[in-house]
Amino acid sequence: MTLSSLIIFFKCTTLDVDVTDFSGVLIETRSHEFHMHTSNLNGLQFRKRAAAKHLIERYYHQLTEGCGNDSCSNAWCSSSRGSHRLDNNAAAVKALELYKINAKLCDPHPSKKGTTMNHCVRDDFKDVNYLTEEKVYEILHICGEKEDYSPLIRVIGRVFSSAEALVQSFRRSKPPTKEELKSLQSKDEDKDEDEEEAAACSAAAMEEDSPGSSSRLDGAASGDNDVGKLGPDEVSVDIDAVRRVYQRLLSNDKIEAAFLNALVYLSPNVECDLTYHNVYSRDPNYLNLFVVVMENSNLHSPDYLEIALPQFCRAMSKLPLPALAKLARLWSHYSAEQIHRIMETFQQLITYKVVSNEFNSRNLVNDDDAVVAATKCLKIVYYANVMGGEVDTEHNEEEDEEPIPESSELTLQELLGEERRNKKGPRVDPLETELTIRTSDSRRPLIPFEEFVNEPLNEVLEMDKDYTFFKVETENKFSFMTCPFILNAVTKNLGLYYDNRIRMYSERRITVLYSLVQGQQLNPYLRLKVRRDHIIDDALVRLEMIAMENPADLKKQLYVEFEGEQGVDEGGVSKEFFQLVVEEIFNPDIGMFAYDERTKMFWFNPSSFENEGQFTLIGIVLGLAIYNNCILDVHFPMVVYRKLMGKKGTFRDLADSNPVLFQSLKELLEYEGSVEEDMMITFQISQTDLFGNPLMYDLRENGDQIPVTNENRKEFVAQYAEYMLNKSVEKQFKAFRRGFHMVTNESPLKYLFRPEEIELLICGSRNLDFQALEETTEYDGGYSRDSRIIKEFWETLHSFAEEQKRLFLQFTTGTDRAPVGGLGKLKMIIAKNGPDTDRLPTSHTCFNVLLLPEYDTKEKLRERLLKAILYAKGFGML
């Protein structure tokens, strides 16, 4: 029986005793009731436990060392001639059995001096109630001389299995100085040297490795970051001392087992303390034990994944919100390597639990306590990763002055019990609020956000069920949508799809009920009837009327009808509608947006003649595209999506929106000569309007009289970027954002997605993997993957040029972009459309269906297919 299985066995017994395995691991045999009511034990129970412990110790030593009497006749004594030598694990099990049957105990023989000395060594450290770095090294030194590490193992078992002892251990001798705090943000340059010292077990090495050595947290990448700043009293544990101790001890397998088994006992008691006794509010230093345990670099090893780590995660997830925030602030000062190690620890547990269980719609991963607890713990690391990187908490867009009007049907909804959820806007994570930081504040995290995505979890997650838990918000059911960092864009997009569809059905139902009450026939859809030649006029006028009269109608399902065409909108007509609207809106001749030939990007035209209402309508169109799951061919720089998420543009955003200007300003900042004398520029800048006329703007009052110098050039650059990205287009962008929020204000969009994911959501993926499309395509009407025509079709398609492939995608699906997740997520169907004929292939863009006749030759197939995709326009009834 291994030590781990022995622990499980002991925990399942009804005995109320402590057993110490003198290979040195503290093993607890308390009942479940004892775990839940530790604080109620009286002195008598403790004395009984102590007596039982003492007896089991004696049985253990009798089995392993004997009594010292060569003529001993006790069959259960190793000194007797007929006894068999037992290993430590077997001796521990046997000692418990002998205790249960009250077996015979030998008296120690006087000649057994070595045993007496050994017992003295074992008993020397019973008064050690907490550990310091010096005490660990002292015990390690003594054990090294005796070549017996059981006393140290026993001390570790006792201290690391006791919350009270662990909280008191490895305390700082005094508050950190300013120099020590500064060192928290520096890299540990002596890391290799420290590792060599930690590997040494000699007394000389122990003396050299004093607490006064370099004290760092392998500091964060950005020393200028004040978010979550670690104050002198923020944490009382000496983290560097803990790390040095772990480095020294974890190389010994028996000692490592002591940490493992102590954690198994510690965790349920800690969970009980946090759940029922509100221990953190009484002693904030209780957080120390989580800091100490998480420094164990072996937590992600297989030995911990089965029992110890899941239990510890459950305990950590019970921490109150202030404690979680405090832990995140502390970890934010760790290096990227340290953050990655902690992140990987929780990710390993999640992956292990996912792959070792069969989760499905009946056995939900949401019900697995270990996965849920590890995800909650991972959230702490996620925010630490945000705060520890480069953040911008200052440049925030102002909220809209006028609130978005509520639906005129609100009173009726309340009467029908259909009051809107989240009227005050999308939900905000409580930890995010406590830390006063948002994911959108991050400019560069310590480690990439993609590292936090767990793909095995995404594969087994039943998103329809998870979304239900997300909306209901009960304590009994956990939703992974509350931790969106662990979900990939495909999974989050599915959650958004459910949210949009349910909102559409809700609006439809409310409309029907409203009709019954008012006696009026209302349209349950957002119906747009447009002419192809006047699509902008027709669409924008209709949308403007809806936005003014009843904005709630924008949340109905979109239904588009082209005048004079027979197409029924099941999704495909809407796709083409959005494509045509975007082409018209972004036409440079209209002048609403300026096009940059170098970046191939559009930007708001600051001197546009269009009124704010036109930009509001553009925002509505973008919001409707997301709401109706349509991909748009728009080319905005990333700063637009950051601004939609509430962040202003800054100098670094010029890198992709205006790279030439960015490079010029960067060279200005790096210039080593005299800026004032050599460049002769002032705080006045010029722009050109639509007609090429220069427009002057003062970045500061009387800017033409203020020279840019080496001292004020940073201010000049910041003001220049502020004008270009914010002030010059303030009216246009505010109107645009207002229209966008008219559709998405009640959506979990901002809660789930980062700016770069919003771009992917609107624009789709630009990388087209037709090999992935071939693997996921289905066949109907008599075709199969092995059909001759199908093989020739894919050979032909793969031989197309890139532009021809995009046209094929446009012809078949209504857009030339891949959906979120790539073409592998696009379910295309190729159906047989009769024998060989001169007819062209046709498609149902609503359902991504290609109707392909069985042409006789590959050449004819190519010629017919090219003609179809090059001249396709409009909808008809087949």
Side-chain angles (χ1 to χ4, degrees):
M1 179 180 290
T2 65
L3 289 175
S4 299
S5 58
L6 183 61
I7 295 165
I8 299 171
F9 168 74
F10 284 155
K11 287 178 69 66
C12 292
T13 64
T14 58
L15 289 174
D16 191 18
V17 295
D18 285 341
V19 180
T20 304
D21 170 10
F22 294 95
S23 64
V25 183
L26 181 67
I27 302 172
E28 294 299 329
T29 60
R30 299 179 180 180
S31 66
H32 177 70
E33 182 179 354
F34 176 77
H35 282 308
M36 302 306 294
H37 303 284
T38 306
S39 60
N40 297 327
L41 285 175
N42 55 34
L44 178 61
Q45 289 174 305
F46 277 112
R47 286 194 293 274
K48 286 182 179 179
R49 290 175 53 247
K53 176 181 176 181
H54 179 69
L55 285 173
I56 295 171
E57 282 185 23
R58 290 186 61 187
Y59 282 120
Y60 177 85
H61 290 303
Q62 183 174 286
L63 289 167
T64 56
E65 300 176 1
C67 64
N69 185 358
D70 294 337
S71 59
C72 179
S73 59
N74 188 349
W76 306 119
C77 179
S78 65
S79 294
S80 65
R81 294 183 178 180
S83 66
H84 298 285
R85 184 72 177 175
L86 299 176
D87 61 34
N88 291 331
N89 290 338
V93 175
K94 196 65 180 178
L96 181 62
E97 293 176 357
L98 295 179
Y99 167 78
K100 289 179 180 179
I101 64 175
N102 197 22
K104 178 183 177 183
L105 273 171
C106 299
D107 294 325
H109 196 271
S111 63
K112 191 69 175 176
K113 295 181 180 179
T115 304
T116 304
M117 177 62 71
N118 202 18
H119 279 293
C120 291
V121 173
R122 292 179 186 277
D123 295 340
D124 277 347
F125 307 106
K126 286 187 176 180
D127 60 340
V128 177
N129 297 317
Y130 64 91
L131 286 174
T132 64
E133 185 179 13
E134 296 86 348
K135 178 59 69 175
V136 172
Y137 294 157
E138 176 190 337
I139 300 174
L140 184 61
H141 177 58
I142 295 173
C143 293
E145 288 183 339
K146 301 296 181 182
E147 297 184 356
D148 179 11
Y149 291 93
S150 57
L152 174 61
I153 294 172
R154 220 169 36 255
V155 170
I156 289 174
R158 184 168 65 250
V159 173
F160 276 76
S161 63
S162 167
E164 185 179 44
L166 200 54
V167 167
Q168 297 298 326
S169 297
F170 304 107
R171 292 286 190 94
R172 289 182 179 274
S173 57
K174 60 182 183 302
T177 64
K178 291 182 179 180
E179 289 73 17
E180 287 176 322
L181 286 175
K182 187 176 180 180
S183 73
L184 297 181
Q185 280 127 25
S186 63
K187 294 294 182 181
D188 193 354
E189 298 174 354
D190 301 324
K191 183 178 176 183
D192 295 335
E193 192 174 315
D194 289 342
E195 288 179 351
E196 291 177 8
E197 290 181 5
C201 294
S202 65
M206 284 185 284
E207 291 173 3
E208 292 172 5
D209 200 356
S210 65
S213 59
S214 175
S215 178
R216 295 184 178 88
L217 291 185
D218 291 329
S222 175
D224 298 330
N225 176 16
D226 288 332
V227 177
K229 187 174 182 181
L230 188 68
D233 300 322
E234 191 73 31
V235 64
S236 59
V237 65
D238 188 343
I239 298 173
D240 294 290
V242 175
R243 288 179 179 171
R244 290 191 293 268
V245 168
Y246 273 126
Q247 286 179 343
R248 181 69 64 83
L249 299 183
L250 288 179
S251 58
N252 186 310
D253 291 340
K254 291 182 178 179
I255 297 177
E256 182 184 3
F259 287 118
L260 170 64
N261 294 325
L263 186 60
V264 170
Y265 167 62
L266 172 72
S267 300
N269 290 330
V270 172
E271 184 179 357
C272 175
D273 286 343
L274 290 169
T275 305
Y276 300 105
H277 303 306
N278 199 22
V279 65
Y280 178 78
S281 62
R282 297 197 306 269
D283 181 15
N285 286 318
Y286 198 83
L287 194 65
N288 287 8
L289 72 86
F290 293 97
V291 177
V292 172
V293 171
M294 286 308 301
E295 289 302 322
N296 185 340
S297 58
N298 286 354
L299 283 179
H300 65 278
S301 64
D303 292 337
Y304 286 85
L305 295 178
E306 186 64 40
I307 301 174
L309 189 56
Q311 288 185 346
F312 184 71
C313 287
R314 281 195 290 271
M316 184 183 287
S317 67
K318 301 296 183 181
L319 282 168
L321 189 60
L324 296 176
K326 187 174 180 180
L327 195 55
R329 292 189 191 100
L330 171 65
W331 284 347
S332 70
H333 291 269
Y334 284 18
S335 67
E337 181 184 357
Q338 288 289 345
I339 288 291
H340 190 274
R341 177 186 63 79
I342 300 174
M343 179 274 299
E344 204 171 48
T345 297
F346 297 128
Q347 288 281 36
Q348 288 270 30
L349 175 57
I350 295 169
T351 301
Y352 170 74
K353 289 296 182 181
V354 167
V355 300
S356 60
N357 291 280
E358 294 184 4
F359 293 113
N360 48 47
S361 58
R362 294 181 179 179
N363 179 30
L364 297 176
V365 68
N366 307 67
D367 295 328
D368 190 288
D369 290 342
V371 175
V372 169
T375 303
K376 291 179 179 179
C377 295
L378 190 61
K379 182 189 288 189
I380 310 172
V381 190
Y382 176 79
Y383 282 108
N385 181 53
V386 171
M387 292 189 295
E390 298 177 19
V391 295
D392 173 15
T393 57
E394 298 177 355
H395 300 90
N396 299 315
E397 290 279 0
E398 297 178 1
E399 296 293 333
D400 293 325
E401 295 179 1
E402 298 180 14
I404 295 173
E406 294 285 351
S407 168
S408 60
E409 301 165 6
L410 185 59
T411 303
L412 178 66
Q413 285 179 310
E414 291 175 336
L415 290 173
L416 296 172
E418 293 286 342
E419 186 174 359
R420 294 181 185 276
R421 290 182 175 272
N422 299 327
K423 287 193 293 183
K424 296 181 180 179
R427 71 169 74 189
V428 179
D429 191 282
L431 184 55
E432 186 175 280
T433 304
E434 183 76 15
L435 293 168
T436 64
I437 193 171
R438 300 175 296 175
T439 300
S440 57
D441 293 334
S442 177
R443 299 310 306 245
R444 190 178 69 179
L446 280 178
I447 58 177
F449 287 126
E450 290 74 19
E451 297 278 354
F452 287 85
V453 176
N454 190 290
E455 292 296 346
L457 173 66
N458 280 265
E459 291 174 6
V460 301
L461 184 61
E462 299 288 336
M463 204 56 198
D464 54 341
K465 305 287 197 309
D466 192 84
Y467 173 76
T468 303
F469 302 151
F470 178 74
K471 296 299 288 185
V472 173
E473 297 185 56
T474 62
E475 294 183 1
N476 299 328
K477 290 294 185 179
F478 175 80
S479 168
F480 288 95
M481 285 180 70
T482 60
C483 298
F485 55 84
I486 203 170
L487 305 177
N488 58 34
V490 176
T491 305
K492 287 189 282 191
N493 187 41
L494 186 58
L496 184 66
Y497 173 80
Y498 287 135
D499 186 81
N500 293 340
R501 289 294 164 182
I502 288 175
R503 204 175 301 277
M504 289 176 185
Y505 297 150
S506 176
E507 292 293 340
R508 194 179 305 168
R509 186 176 62 200
I510 292 299
T511 301
V512 172
L513 292 172
Y514 194 96
S515 300
L516 293 175
V517 174
Q518 297 292 324
Q520 302 176 14
Q521 185 64 38
L522 300 178
N523 196 332
Y525 297 96
L526 174 59
R527 187 179 294 272
L528 296 178
K529 186 172 184 179
V530 295
R531 297 166 293 175
R532 280 187 180 271
D533 296 338
H534 300 83
I535 191 167
I536 296 296
D537 295 335
D538 293 349
L540 297 191
V541 167
R542 175 64 178 146
L543 290 174
E544 186 174 16
M545 291 176 60
I546 293 171
M548 292 173 60
E549 294 175 0
N550 192 8
D553 282 356
L554 295 173
K555 297 182 176 66
K556 295 178 179 179
Q557 184 174 350
L558 180 65
Y559 188 92
V560 177
E561 180 182 349
F562 284 105
E563 190 174 279
E565 299 183 19
Q566 298 173 310
V568 177
D569 191 4
E570 293 289 344
V573 181
S574 295
K575 290 178 184 178
E576 180 158 359
F577 163 76
F578 281 117
Q579 179 195 358
L580 295 175
V581 168
V582 166
E583 286 178 0
E584 289 288 331
I585 287 173
F586 289 94
N587 187 335
D589 295 338
I590 294 180
M592 295 184 68
F593 294 91
Y595 182 68
D596 190 330
E597 289 287 350
R598 293 162 298 190
T599 62
K600 309 298 182 185
M601 299 283 186
F602 286 96
W603 183 247
F604 298 89
N605 189 345
S607 55
S608 172
F609 294 124
E610 301 294 336
N611 58 40
E612 294 178 24
Q614 298 296 307
F615 285 96
T616 299
L617 296 175
I618 305 307
I620 291 175
V621 168
L622 247 69
L624 286 174
I626 292 179
Y627 195 60
N628 290 273
N629 204 32
C630 291
I631 295 172
L632 301 182
D633 185 20
V634 297
H635 303 270
F636 281 135
M638 184 57 64
V639 64
V640 170
Y641 303 105
R642 282 183 54 78
K643 286 169 73 69
L644 282 175
M645 300 290 276
K647 301 301 295 184
K648 285 186 176 181
T650 60
F651 166 62
R652 66 188 302 167
D653 291 308
L654 288 172
D656 66 328
S657 62
N658 196 333
V660 175
L661 177 59
F662 174 80
Q663 188 61 35
S664 299
L665 294 177
K666 184 180 178 184
E667 290 174 359
L668 171 64
L669 291 173
E670 297 171 350
Y671 188 67
E672 296 179 357
S674 173
V675 173
E676 182 177 2
E677 295 179 3
D678 298 344
M679 297 191 177
M680 294 184 292
I681 53 180
T682 66
F683 273 77
Q684 186 180 73
I685 60 174
S686 65
Q687 278 189 304
T688 55
D689 61 13
L690 285 173
F691 306 104
N693 300 319
L695 300 175
M696 310 306 293
Y697 179 79
D698 288 343
L699 298 178
R700 287 171 57 177
E701 189 176 352
N702 299 322
D704 59 328
Q705 300 174 19
I706 304 175
V708 178
T709 65
N710 292 55
E711 290 72 28
N712 64 17
R713 56 183 171 181
K714 285 186 178 179
E715 180 190 354
F716 172 79
V717 169
Q719 292 287 348
Y720 203 143
E722 169 70 12
Y723 174 75
M724 294 295 294
L725 298 176
N726 303 311
K727 288 184 178 180
S728 66
V729 295
E730 184 174 8
K731 291 182 179 179
Q732 293 89 335
F733 181 78
K734 277 190 173 181
F736 171 78
R737 184 183 62 188
R738 179 174 172 78
F740 184 78
H741 285 168
M742 279 185 178
V743 185
T744 63
N745 65 317
E746 295 179 351
S747 167
L749 188 71
K750 288 180 68 174
Y751 183 85
L752 294 176
F753 295 91
R754 302 190 306 274
E756 57 270 23
E757 293 175 321
I758 297 287
E759 181 188 30
L760 184 64
L761 205 62
I762 295 175
C763 306
S765 174
R766 299 178 185 178
N767 299 322
L768 303 181
D769 184 0
F770 279 85
Q771 198 66 45
L773 179 62
E774 179 180 356
E775 292 173 2
T776 58
T777 296
E778 299 176 0
Y779 304 94
D780 195 13
Y783 283 159
S784 70
R785 187 180 299 274
D786 298 323
S787 300
R788 174 194 61 82
I789 185 71
I790 295 301
K791 291 181 179 180
E792 291 178 350
F793 166 79
W794 287 113
E795 290 172 3
T796 301
L797 186 59
H798 289 314
S799 69
F800 280 178
E802 189 68 22
E803 185 59 31
Q804 292 173 328
K805 289 181 178 179
R806 290 188 179 277
L807 288 173
F808 168 78
L809 206 58
Q810 177 76 48
F811 172 75
T812 310
T813 68
T815 177
D816 64 351
R817 299 292 188 93
V820 177
L823 287 181
K825 299 296 180 181
L826 183 68
K827 300 301 180 184
M828 189 176 80
I829 299 174
I830 301 179
K832 187 174 182 179
N833 193 23
D836 181 46
T837 178
D838 289 335
R839 294 173 58 193
L840 299 174
T842 52
S843 65
H844 294 305
T845 56
C846 304
F847 308 106
N848 303 328
V849 175
L850 174 67
L851 301 176
L852 185 67
E854 192 171 10
Y855 299 113
D856 283 344
T857 65
K858 185 176 180 181
E859 291 73 20
K860 186 175 183 179
L861 166 66
R862 181 183 181 89
E863 184 267 333
R864 296 279 88 186
L865 184 60
L866 278 174
K867 183 170 289 188
I869 65 178
L870 288 172
Y871 300 103
K873 191 173 184 180
F875 292 89
M877 298 293 287
L878 296 177

